[in-house]
Amino acid sequence: MRRQPTRTPEPARAPAKTPEAAGHRKRRAREHRLRTATATTSAALTLVLTACAAGHDGPVARTAPAHLSGTIQLWHHYSDREAAVIQSVVDGFEKKYPDVHVEVHSGQQDTKITQVVASGGDVDALITNVNATLGTACKTMENLAPFMRRDGVRASDFQGIFAAATAFGGRRCSLPTTSDVYGLYYNTKLLARAGVTRPPRTLRELERAALKLTTYKPDGSIRTLGFDPLVGFQQNTSATFGGTAGVTWMKGGQSAIASSPQWRALLGWQHDFVEKIGYAKLKAFSAGLGDEWSANNAFQTGRIAMALDGEWRVAFIQDQAPHLAYGTAPFPVLDGSGQAYGGGFVSAADIGVSKRSGNKEAAWALVKYMTTDTDAAVRLANGIKNIPTLKSAADSPRLDAPKQYRTFLDAAAHPASRTSPVTEIGSMLTATMDDFWTGYQQRPQEGLDSGLKKVDTDIDNALSLRRAK
């Protein structure tokens, strides 16, 4: 999972410790943008196919089988190094159940997986991204609630909001595997030099600190930026900003963005911030920065003093900028929004069982192993470098958790953590808001009220189309 920002909350993203892994992250970001751009067409196709071949739940045996056997198919989006991590966990499952063989289909985009499932393809278990995919795939996935009751798996086994986030429309479609958690990275030397004694806790504090930290060249262009407020810059999106502002996305099954005071206050804060530095200067500065996933990342090189980023950045810094003096903290919250400090935006990868699976007991055993076995969950988190969603894994002494990483562990469990809603239109929900905001920050004269109402209309129209299928 990973970035919803450009990223829609996507498949939990992994911090990379090697250049190969960094390249993989970059590819995943590109893949995510592609997924967002094609979300409407792909989801519409999936929905049509789903209507033709949703399959059926159950029945579920009263007691778990004493012996499991057969071959099952696991499909997921991970590739390269991360696919090897998934395979190592599958190897552990096959060792526990020696008569079950798992054929793994790695590197498959969520849209392809859901289409294969919906068309009756050979899929028994599938790993996708909650925010981008669960709403379009849930009808094709087995209700896991009877299996959980029978085998003693509880929603309370998981941290924070992740158990609730992996159900949709009253169905327990899936369980969480790993998560992405977003927070504030800050350069301790630059903050000390500017007299900033602690990381900001509100967006106004962030703005004041950023303005103190921003320096200019003789020609007026930016030399060092305290914080880049532009939506569209790296991990800055409506989802990640909204997760720290207590915004309302949906109400009664309809888009409620235009009527949310927090959205208006959040866009007002960002508008004021951008205006104090200048959109043209910020855009020119951002365009001249190094690639986000390379050693030239602007935070890692000191060009930017503070950044919104995910837990994976800790591993990037270990690999690409080991001498950087930095700290991490929960991302600041919108002043007066009622949002408690300490959480932040989160997203998750999830795993479920296809309704059309011919071996649901073995598929469920794999799902249960990958989500509730502590050793397996720790291996996933240490390998992919995301945050574990299983409480026992987060508390495990075997979890590789340096000081800066622990900020994200704590945020994942914090009751104030938020994610964007799971809906039938997947990532189109946040992409619609992203599109409006990126235009509004450049041309605010075009109007906030009319723009937000159009966002509501566009989202509601897309939802109506999906629900009518």
Side-chain angles (χ1 to χ4, degrees), residues 248-256 460 463 467:
T248 299
W249 284 92
M250 303 286 296
K251 191 173 183 179
Q254 300 293 306
S255 179
D460 288 342
L463 286 167
R467 290 167 180 166

Side-chain angles (χ1 to χ4, degrees), residues 14 67 86 102 111 126 131 153 210 255 270 304 322 328 344 370-371 409 436 442:
H67 179 75
I86 297 293
V102 182
T111 49
L126 56 155
N131 304 79
V153 176
S255 179
Q270 191 253 9
I304 290 179
T328 59
M370 295 188 72
T371 56
L409 271 178
F436 163 70
Q442 183 178 1

Side-chain angles (χ1 to χ4, degrees), residues 181-186 191 198-203 205-206 227 240-241 243-245 306-311 327-334 339-346 403-418:
V181 181
Y182 293 76
L184 181 73
Y185 285 74
Y186 58 95
L191 262 66
R198 66 167 174 81
R201 295 189 174 191
T202 70
L203 293 182
E205 288 183 4
L206 173 70
F227 178 84
T240 54
F241 277 153
T244 62
M306 299 181 289
L308 168 63
D309 215 334
E311 79 288 338
T328 59
F331 196 75
V333 298
L334 177 67
Q339 179 73 15
Y341 177 75
F345 177 76
V346 301
K403 177 183 175 183
Q404 292 93 340
Y405 176 88
R406 289 211 162 272
T407 295
F408 302 94
L409 271 178
D410 294 341
H414 197 284
S417 288
R418 296 285 182 270

Side-chain angles (χ1 to χ4, degrees), residues 32-55:
H32 171 69
R33 286 191 287 269
L34 179 60
R35 281 199 297 275
T36 300
T38 58
T40 305
T41 302
S42 299
L45 176 58
T46 299
L47 197 66
V48 171
L49 294 171
T50 299
C52 299

Side-chain angles (χ1 to χ4, degrees), residues 343-394:
F345 177 76
V346 301
S347 65
D350 66 319
I351 181 170
V353 174
S354 169
K355 277 185 179 178
R356 299 175 68 87
S357 169
N359 195 344
K360 292 180 181 177
E361 286 289 357
W364 159 246
L366 177 63
V367 169
K368 185 171 66 171
Y369 179 80
M370 295 188 72
T371 56
T372 66
D373 183 281
T374 301
D375 288 343
V378 169
R379 196 178 311 133
L380 271 178
N382 284 345
I384 297 182
K385 299 300 181 185
N386 289 146
I387 301 296
T389 56
L390 185 66
K391 287 179 179 176
S392 60

